[in-house]
Amino acid sequence: PEVAEADKRCGYVAIVGKPNVGKSTLLNALVGQKVSITSRKAQTTRHRITGIRTEGASQFIFVDTPGFQTRHGNALNRSLNKTVLGAVTDVDLILFVVEAGRFNLADAKVLSLLPASAPVILLANKLDEVHRRGDLAPWLRSMQERHAFAEFVPMSAKAPKDIQRLFGICEKYLPQQPWIHDAEELTDRSERFMAAEMVREKLFRLTGDELPYTSTVIIDRFEEEGQLRRIAATIVVEREGHKGMVIGDKGEKLKRIGTEARMELEKLWGGKVFLELWVKVRSGWADDDARVRSFGYE
Ligand code: GDP
Ligand code: K
Ligand code: MG
């Protein structure tokens, strides 16, 4: 049904927190499609990613961010932190995500950086992993002493009914104004960007912890022929030894990364994808400001 212009609401909701608390999982659940890659590893999210969801009269523009890095001040980490700070200015609401029942120095650092300009909801995620719910009440009281949170939401990003409830909680913070995006839009990121991200997700998920976080993916070619998308991408690693880990025995690891990324992209776009992958060594790129920028980081 048509929504009257005067009834429309639209606003920005930033999702912030230290690495691995479940920010990107939450964004994808809110959007209903994978627009932000996730893995068990920190530094999976390296960009400001928007996920758009239009529900009834309201358009939510969620902004996922890299987890704020408190260690290793290399060029890549400095760039990630700049991205986080840029994403929280000028939003209507901030979801500060922590693991339910937990709070350490890394969480405190993120909280101390949040601007006073927007209300902050304390989102206690991974509730499914809390076995003694009774312990949450004293934890919550200690959290309320730390910050004047607008609300407290204990939940699991993996529980659909919690996600549905979260829309209702966030909606009242959206200003009444026209929508910024079309109702069907899911993200403001390009297809080229999504292609690089899906390859990076599979790289993170399919290689062991020994492959350091200092690898990245660049798109060399992106062509559309009717419903078919032809993509060539390069995985950039820091050391010669890492190259073998990515390629694997007889190339089977690289092949699997390519197959899984292609399947994700076909699901996202609803069309066929031909994906060609290469691996290249660029030693020290993550310590080099100019290289970090040339690889698409802010
Ligand atoms: P981010 O670094 O904050 O973006 O975290 P991710 O979204 O990449 O998730 C980190 C890990 O936590 C992944 O393995 C997720 O599957 C897991 N995770 C996220 N939300 C939940 C949750 O509600 N419950 C449980 N048990 N695991 C979760
Ligand atoms: K992660
Ligand atoms: Mg993330």
Side-chain angles (χ1 to χ4, degrees):
E2 273 297 294
V3 179
E5 276 308 314
D7 293 337
K8 284 185 177 173
R9 285 173 180 270
C10 179
Y12 287 87
V13 181
I15 304 175
V16 297
K18 73 176 178 190
N20 270 348
V21 292
K23 299 176 295 299
S24 302
T25 304
L26 180 70
L27 178 85
N28 293 335
L30 288 163
V31 172
Q33 266 274 18
K34 186 189 282 183
V35 290
S36 192
I37 64 171
T38 69
S39 87
R40 288 181 296 101
K41 295 179 184 176
Q43 282 214 5
T44 308
T45 308
R46 290 185 180 166
H47 303 269
R48 172 188 184 276
I49 312 250
T50 56
I52 305 156
R53 175 74 176 247
T54 307
E55 277 264 302
S58 297
Q59 182 165 83
F60 302 82
I61 307 171
F62 296 103
V63 184
D64 189 14
T65 58
F68 199 84
Q69 314 290 321
T70 47
R71 280 173 292 186
H72 311 300
N74 68 6
L76 177 62
N77 279 358
R78 284 196 301 278
S79 148
L80 297 182
N81 286 353
K82 222 187 267 178
T83 302
V84 180
L85 295 180
V88 292
T89 56
D90 291 331
V91 295
D92 301 293
L93 175 65
I94 295 171
L95 301 178
F96 173 56
V97 185
V98 298
E99 290 179 344
R102 296 177 179 203
F103 192 83
N104 67 11
L105 278 175
D107 297 298
K109 174 78 184 169
V110 180
L111 185 57
S112 74
L113 293 167
L114 299 183
S117 51
V120 179
I121 288 181
L122 174 64
L123 197 156
N125 192 33
K126 306 196 187 181
L127 187 63
D128 56 297
E129 287 186 347
V130 175
H131 301 299
R132 304 193 336 167
R133 297 283 160 99
D135 292 348
L136 275 186
W139 176 78
L140 174 60
R141 278 194 297 278
S142 73
M143 292 302 294
Q144 281 163 332
E145 282 165 17
R146 290 181 185 275
H147 190 93
F149 293 110
E151 291 186 52
F152 167 57
V153 182
M155 62 171 283
S156 168
K158 296 192 172 181
K161 71 169 191 339
D162 287 352
I163 293 296
Q164 208 49 48
R165 188 170 57 101
L166 190 56
F167 284 116
I169 293 168
C170 295
E171 191 168 34
K172 54 186 177 292
Y173 297 94
L174 303 184
Q176 269 180 316
Q177 60 172 343
W179 297 340
I180 292 170
H181 298 279
D182 290 342
E184 312 73 49
E185 250 176 277
L186 299 177
T187 181
D188 63 357
R189 287 295 190 160
S190 68
E191 292 194 349
R192 215 184 152 93
F193 175 82
M194 293 307 301
E197 288 287 277
M198 290 304 181
V199 173
R200 207 163 53 77
E201 179 184 84
K202 302 315 167 193
L203 176 72
F204 270 55
R205 288 190 180 191
L206 295 172
T207 56
D209 291 337
E210 70 278 12
L211 186 82
Y213 304 120
T214 49
S215 48
T216 196
V217 177
I218 48 183
I219 301 295
D220 305 311
R221 194 158 41 84
F222 192 113
E223 290 161 6
E224 286 188 63
E225 296 171 15
Q227 290 300 309
L228 172 73
R229 289 163 178 88
R230 277 183 194 280
I231 305 166
T234 299
I235 296 173
V236 180
V237 295
E238 279 221 309
R239 278 184 228 129
E240 200 58 44
H242 299 157
K243 201 170 165 180
M245 294 176 197
V246 175
I247 294 171
D249 191 25
K250 298 196 184 87
E252 61 49 56
K253 180 67 60 81
L254 187 63
K255 194 171 165 198
R256 189 152 163 226
I257 291 170
T259 305
E260 293 197 12
R262 173 181 57 76
M263 282 167 24
E264 290 274 10
L265 292 170
E266 289 182 340
K267 192 163 104 193
L268 182 66
W269 297 329
K272 274 204 89 53
V273 171
F274 182 80
L275 176 62
E276 200 181 342
L277 288 184
W278 304 89
V279 186
K280 204 164 30 186
V281 182
R282 281 285 172 275
S283 44
W285 75 266
D287 292 318
D288 178 342
D289 278 304
R291 268 265 154 76
V292 163
R293 271 196 307 278
S294 79
F295 286 166
Y297 300 99
E298 277 170 45

